[in-house]
Every structure is written in structure tokens, then in C-alpha cells.
Amino acid sequence: MNLILLGPPGAGKGTQAKRLVERFGLAHVSTGDILRAAIKSGSELGQKAKGYMDRGELVPDDLVVGIIRERIGQPDCAKGFVLDGFPRTVPQAEALDGMLSAASCRLDRVVALEVSDQAVLERNTKRRSCPTCGATYHLVNAPPKKAGVCDRDATPLVHRPDDQPEAILKRMEEYRQKTAPLKDFYRKVGLLREIDGSGAQDDVARALDRQLEG
Ligand code: AMP
């Protein structure tokens, strides 16, 4: 099963992707996580991406397409993958189509998680992330066991620069202009399913399962 999760920042793509990985043994491919790891390691890719990311802008297509080309060629993706945060533009989706057909591989579903602008703002201002393992928490709905530190590795949690209000507004705008058109792109080829992403994690997971089974 090869899937794409679409949705605005804070829609729950990462959370739901992790559940799908556990349930179906899929490879989790998050371009945001890969880019953050590149920034942390100080690599050339990270240096190129950092400014865009801190401002809440999309990183140029050629950089992320290069990441995906390398990542989905890795052995763990052969058993199926869930793309979380890619594609985010029509040219990225076209590049993905090209890569998949060259590998005689196809997409099975594209699931869009729908959440209101208000929920996006609220989720991102209250999101805290672990810079070591990438785990995310919500200060009210899913807080860490001990305030301010990651449950898994006790690293102090951070409020990502791109989860600050100004960057969130920019990310929402980028989503509206460049990513939302992908819904039409995938609707036309019959792959798109839309679900309500505003409920509790378990409810969203059930709705997602129904779309994958149906
Ligand atoms: P995410 O963790 O998916 O919300 O991504 C965080 C940031 O990484 C985004 O706001 C973009 O700056 C960058 N990014 C992640 N994936 C992509 C992509 N497919 N295209 C362009 N920029 C991306």
C-alpha cells in the first residue's frame, strides 16, 4: 500500500502516519522530518532549507524532489510507504508520478485531512516537539507525562520556529495557494478521499481506516 496524507500544518498527518506505520508496517516518509534532520546535522541540504522553513515558506521543489527520489528507492519503501508532507505542490506531484511509473509502482490512496483554520492555529501554537526523536505533543490534548520533556527520551521539548504565529500564518497561506490544488489533481484520477481531521486522534484513525478498506 502506497499512500499520501494531505492536509494543512497541524492537521495530524504525522500522528496518523505513525499509526499507519505501526498497523501496516509501512515506511514513514516525512520530508519535514528529513529536512529538520538535515538542519540538525549541518548538511548542505539543511543549510539551503533552513531559511525557508523558519519563515514558514515551502522549500524549493528541486530540493524536496531530490530527497524523495533517494528515499523511496530505499529497501524499506518496497513494502509500501506513507508520504507525510509530500507532495506539497503540483510540480512535486508530477515528479512523484514520474518516479513511481519509472519504478512500475503506483499510489493506492491520497487521504486529505480536513481541519478548520482556527484549529490549525490552535494546534500549532500549542504543539511542542522533541528535537531528538521528532515526537509531538499538544499542551492541552496530548501533553507529555512530565511537563516540558519528551516521554521517550527526556529531551527538553521545543516550540518549533515554524510553529510560531507569524510562520504558521505563512504556512497556512502556502498550503492554500500551493498544496490545496493537489486535491483536484488527485480527485481527477480517482485517488482522493477526504476525511474530517478535527476530532480526537482515535476517531480520525478510524475514519482513515474506513477509507483505506473501502
Ligand atoms: P512539516 O513538518 O511537514 O510541516 O514541514 C515543515 C516545513 O518543511 C514546511 O513548512 C516546509 O518549509 C518544509 N517542507 C516539508 N515538506 C516540504 C515539501 N514537500 N515541499 C516544500 N517544503 C517542504
Side-chain angles (χ1 to χ4, degrees):
M1 185 157 54
N2 296 323
L3 305 172
I4 292 175
L5 291 183
L6 274 182
K13 300 185 296 293
T15 304
Q16 296 301 329
K18 285 183 187 116
R19 296 176 81 124
L20 292 172
V21 166
E22 277 177 24
R23 188 142 180 248
F24 297 109
L26 303 175
H28 181 190
V29 180
S30 156
T31 38
D33 285 350
I34 294 169
L35 289 165
R36 279 183 288 278
I39 292 176
K40 210 169 151 194
S41 75
S43 70
E44 198 186 329
L45 170 66
Q47 287 170 25
K48 284 185 185 158
K50 187 173 186 326
Y52 296 101
M53 290 177 73
D54 285 351
R55 290 189 297 272
E57 292 168 18
L58 292 185
V59 169
D61 287 339
D62 57 334
L63 289 184
V64 275
V65 167
I67 292 175
I68 290 290
R69 197 180 298 284
E70 195 193 314
R71 181 66 187 89
I72 64 176
Q74 288 171 7
D76 62 326
C77 285
K79 62 191 176 190
F81 54 75
V82 50
L83 297 181
D84 157 14
F86 182 93
R88 265 180 155 106
T89 65
V90 170
Q92 289 180 19
E94 288 167 347
L96 177 66
D97 271 358
M99 281 179 235
L100 294 179
S101 17
S104 304
C105 190
R106 66 183 169 83
L107 286 171
D108 297 290
R109 288 275 193 286
V110 177
V111 182
L113 303 176
E114 302 292 342
V115 291
S116 68
D117 284 358
Q118 202 189 343
V120 166
L121 273 171
E122 201 269 347
R123 285 185 183 185
N124 287 286
T125 40
K126 296 211 169 66
R127 175 156 62 181
R128 295 295 179 272
S129 313
C130 173
T132 301
C133 72
T136 54
Y137 300 86
H138 182 284
L139 289 180
V140 180
N141 300 339
K145 292 195 181 86
K146 186 173 168 218
V149 296
C150 181
D151 291 350
R152 290 194 211 154
D153 51 36
T155 305
L157 300 175
V158 297
H159 191 195
R160 275 168 36 186
D162 61 342
D163 278 341
Q164 309 290 335
E166 202 182 322
I168 297 169
L169 291 175
K170 181 69 192 165
R171 289 165 76 200
M172 289 167 71
E173 187 55 30
E174 292 277 71
Y175 176 78
R176 257 192 299 273
Q177 281 184 12
K178 299 177 184 163
T179 310
L182 288 179
K183 287 198 263 177
D184 262 346
F185 182 94
Y186 288 118
R187 192 178 285 120
K188 281 185 188 139
V189 290
L191 288 175
L192 185 76
R193 304 287 184 275
E194 289 164 284
I195 63 171
D196 179 4
S198 64
Q201 289 179 14
D202 288 347
D203 296 333
V204 179
R206 269 191 291 275
L208 186 51
D209 283 352
R210 278 196 294 276
Q211 292 303 335
L212 300 182
E213 283 154 11

